[in-house]
Structures are given as C-alpha cells and as structure tokens.
Amino acid sequence: MIGLKVFLHEACGKSMEQINQAADTKLAKSVGTIALALIGGGLLTLMIETNSQLAQTSSPMFASWVAHGVGAAVALVMMWLVLQRSKTPRQSEENQAHTSQTAKVPILFYLGGIPGAFTVILAATAINGGLTLSATISLGLVGQIVFGMVADHFGLLRTRQRQIGGSDLLIVALVLLGSVLILFG
C-alpha cells in the first residue's frame, strides 16, 4: 500500500494528505461493505436453517412459499416506512430521477425471486436429506463462487467482464477443500 501511495504521489502530483484521505475513505467503504456481506451471509444461514426446520414438518415447497410470503410482507413494511420518511418536496425530484432509471431495468432483473425460491427448496432438501447446515452453506458457497466467476468471465447479468485466472481457480479449490473438511471432518 505504501508503494502505491508513493507512486500516486509522484505520478499524479497528489499530496500525500490527499492520497491518505482517499485511501481512508475507500477503506471505510470497504469495511462497511464487507460487514454488510458478512451480516447477509449470517442472515442467509439463519433463513436456510429456519426454512429447513419448517420443511421438515411440511415440505420444501411450502417452506419456500412461507419464506417468500413473509419476506414480501417485511419488504412491503420496510418500503412503506422508507416512503413515509422520505416524503419531502425536495426529494420528489430525486424520486422522479430514480423512477426514470427504474424504467430502464430489463424485465429479467425483476425475476430474482425465482432462484431465491429454488435456493430455499434445494437447501431445505439438502439439510433434511442428511447434510449439516454448515456443509450445505459451504457447498452453496462453492456454487456461488463458481457461478459468480462464470458470470464475471462472460459479463452475464451486466457484471463487469474479467478473465478467470489461476488465483480464482485456487480460491474455488480451497473453498471446496474446506467444504469437504466440513462434510467429512
């Protein structure tokens, strides 16, 4: 990091104070984003476990319906609360700009609940089929990483296109090895 700062100082003519401030801002944003991802992963694990328990007493399909019904109800309440909070004349212009951006979103992107429903059904079936919660989550993580890399490589779903390298394959191998250790350890 120090070498990069010196390079930016010399190449761009930025003061070290400007470079440090930019680095601190980026680090703060990164830490916040990482924290959100970790919280999301914990909530996903909680969701999968509670849905698996429900599926055990009913069916994976019913558990998926309940999960998405409750999720929709919570989302509607949250959306209503946000709209109530943001009712100011100044924000109406911002809302109009947001609405015009929303109109440009392809219809396919509104169908994210479909893989979500299958996630609930498949995870509940895997856990009730004998896998532990941690094994199901770790194997799901391998699937997410592999799909993410394929999406990145081909630029699917408007992701930024990038080449898959050796370090990417090493990551998959290490996470897979960890999954095997969780599964059989």
Side-chain angles (χ1 to χ4, degrees):
M1 184 72 166
I2 292 173
L4 178 61
K5 287 181 180 180
V6 171
F7 170 77
L8 289 172
H9 173 66
E10 293 174 1
C12 301
K14 301 266 185 190
S15 72
M16 289 303 279
E17 183 178 322
Q18 289 173 320
I19 293 168
N20 285 332
Q21 186 178 24
D24 290 344
T25 302
K26 185 171 182 162
L27 178 63
K29 286 181 181 178
S30 296
V31 169
T33 305
I34 290 169
L36 289 175
L38 290 171
I39 292 167
L43 290 174
L44 179 63
T45 302
L46 177 65
M47 179 199 75
I48 288 173
E49 177 57 23
T50 56
N51 291 333
S52 298
Q53 294 295 325
L54 181 59
Q56 208 169 28
T57 60
S58 57
S59 73
M61 188 75 70
F62 179 75
S64 179
W65 274 102
V66 170
H68 286 86
V70 170
V74 170
L76 285 172
V77 168
M78 290 174 67
M79 198 163 106
W80 180 79
L81 289 172
V82 168
L83 289 173
Q84 292 303 311
R85 186 174 175 198
S86 65
K87 285 188 175 179
T88 63
R90 183 181 60 82
Q91 289 187 337
S92 63
E93 293 172 13
E94 293 173 12
N95 289 339
Q96 288 174 353
H98 177 71
T99 303
S100 67
Q101 290 174 349
T102 305
K104 297 176 186 175
V105 176
I107 194 74
L108 175 68
F109 290 176
Y110 289 100
L111 303 177
I114 294 171
F118 280 106
T119 298
V120 172
I121 293 168
L122 296 174
T125 303
I127 291 171
N128 291 325
L131 284 180
T132 62
L133 177 62
S134 56
T136 301
I137 296 298
S138 65
L139 291 170
L141 179 61
V142 172
Q144 290 175 17
I145 293 170
V146 169
F147 180 83
M149 286 181 186
V150 170
D152 287 348
H153 180 75
F154 292 107
L156 302 176
L157 303 173
R158 294 186 180 174
T159 59
R160 186 170 35 99
Q161 196 168 358
R162 69 177 189 87
Q163 295 297 316
I164 296 174
S167 64
D168 295 316
L169 299 177
L170 178 63
I171 290 168
V172 171
L174 291 173
V175 174
L176 186 57
L177 176 62
S179 297
V180 168
L181 291 173
I182 290 170
L183 187 60
F184 297 113

